[in-house]
Amino acid sequence: MKTECLQYFKNPYYWAVIGLGLAARAGLTYLDFRYRSPQFWELAADFWNKTGSITMGFLILLVMIRRFSYDMELRTFPIINSTAYGRLPLFWNRLIGGEVAVVAAVLLLYAGNTGISCLLGSKMGMSYDWTGFFTQATVAAFAGSAGYFALSAMICDLSKNHPVAMCLCGLPFASSYFINVDAVKPPDLFWFLRYGFFTELLRGRTIGSFPVFWSVWYAALIGLTFFFVIQKRKERKEL
């Protein structure tokens, strides 16, 4: 697991995406400081709603899940699969290592946004509960990022095709940003697109619309996807 975990951190694109996300946040923070100073800390606390969640979405889809189709792309899959380590243990190690890298990325973005906001907003009065509010949003982003990575990684493992997995996981993720929460009514299609694919949690929000249902939905979604992964691996003789 340590080896697979290090592979994520050694990937220069992992750091490039995080760096670009924080650079974008620094630019937006400066604009907020110059032109929207009364809402400065409110906008800083809303980091996960746009910049943070988009950064994590790109990081997971463009960089991290590629590990699950990497062997097929390099045509080393038959060699890897011929060893005991190249079967289910490798899948578990990549999945756990990826979750560690997801946690590290969320922490880095949390620390980066806090540092940038405090640096530029040091002369503005920070509200007493800002840190608590932002931390609470970050906990939701943790849960959303971990779930979204697990689901996307398993779909990539099923398809063994990174572009296909990006499209299948990216379209419902992106569509949530264009759906007005006030315009959706359960249980229509837009309601499912808004809440059904971890995007709401990734945006640092707890789900207020039927939270128990969505807890069961997320557990079932990941559980069923894992079931299909195991079944597909049995067909490929990868267990």
Side-chain angles (χ1 to χ4, degrees):
M1 186 189 75
K2 180 180 178 181
T3 301
E4 287 300 319
C5 188
L6 289 175
Q7 289 300 317
Y8 288 102
F9 293 120
K10 287 180 180 179
N11 190 335
Y13 294 110
Y14 176 90
W15 300 104
V17 172
I18 294 176
L20 287 172
L22 289 176
R25 178 57 195 151
L28 292 172
T29 304
Y30 177 75
L31 293 176
D32 293 339
F33 171 75
R34 288 291 303 273
Y35 303 110
R36 295 191 288 182
S37 55
Q39 295 84 36
F40 180 85
W41 289 108
E42 180 182 348
L43 293 168
D46 202 36
F47 168 73
W48 292 110
N49 184 35
K50 293 181 181 178
T51 309
S53 56
I54 292 172
T55 301
M56 287 303 303
F58 274 108
L59 182 67
I60 290 169
L61 293 178
L62 294 179
V63 180
M64 299 186 64
I65 66 171
R66 188 168 179 262
R67 292 288 302 164
F68 293 83
S69 63
Y70 195 63
D71 302 323
M72 189 68 74
E73 293 171 11
L74 294 181
R75 299 182 180 179
T76 59
F77 180 73
I79 299 173
I80 296 294
N81 195 44
S82 66
T83 66
Y85 180 74
R87 297 178 181 179
L88 194 59
L90 180 59
F91 169 78
W92 277 115
N93 287 335
R94 282 180 175 171
L95 194 62
I96 296 171
E99 293 290 6
V100 173
V102 164
V103 170
V106 173
L107 284 174
L108 286 169
L109 291 173
Y110 171 83
N113 181 58
T114 303
I116 292 168
S117 301
C118 290
L119 181 64
L120 291 177
S122 58
K123 296 181 180 180
M124 301 179 186
M126 180 194 297
S127 61
Y128 178 76
D129 57 349
W130 184 87
T131 303
F133 180 81
F134 183 50
T135 301
Q136 183 180 356
T138 302
V139 171
F142 264 126
S145 300
Y148 186 62
F149 168 75
L151 179 65
S152 302
M154 288 189 288
I155 290 176
C156 191
D157 187 79
L158 276 170
S159 65
K160 295 297 183 184
N161 189 312
H162 184 220
V164 168
M166 284 175 56
C167 292
L168 290 175
C169 300
L171 288 175
F173 173 79
S175 65
S176 177
Y177 289 88
F178 301 98
I179 299 173
N180 185 353
V181 67
D182 297 324
V184 298
K185 302 294 181 183
D188 64 17
L189 174 62
F190 293 109
W191 184 67
F192 270 99
L193 288 174
R194 173 77 189 194
Y195 297 110
F197 296 94
F198 299 98
T199 312
E200 195 75 358
L201 291 172
L202 255 167
R203 296 175 74 175
R205 301 172 177 178
T206 55
I207 300 178
S209 175
F210 300 97
V212 175
F213 169 80
W214 290 117
S215 298
V216 175
W217 167 263
Y218 289 144
L221 188 63
I222 292 178
L224 285 172
T225 308
F226 179 72
F227 172 78
F228 286 122
V229 167
I230 296 299
Q231 291 300 112
K232 193 65 176 179
R233 282 179 166 266
K234 284 182 180 179
E235 294 176 10
R236 295 170 177 163
K237 298 181 180 179
E238 296 177 39
L239 294 180

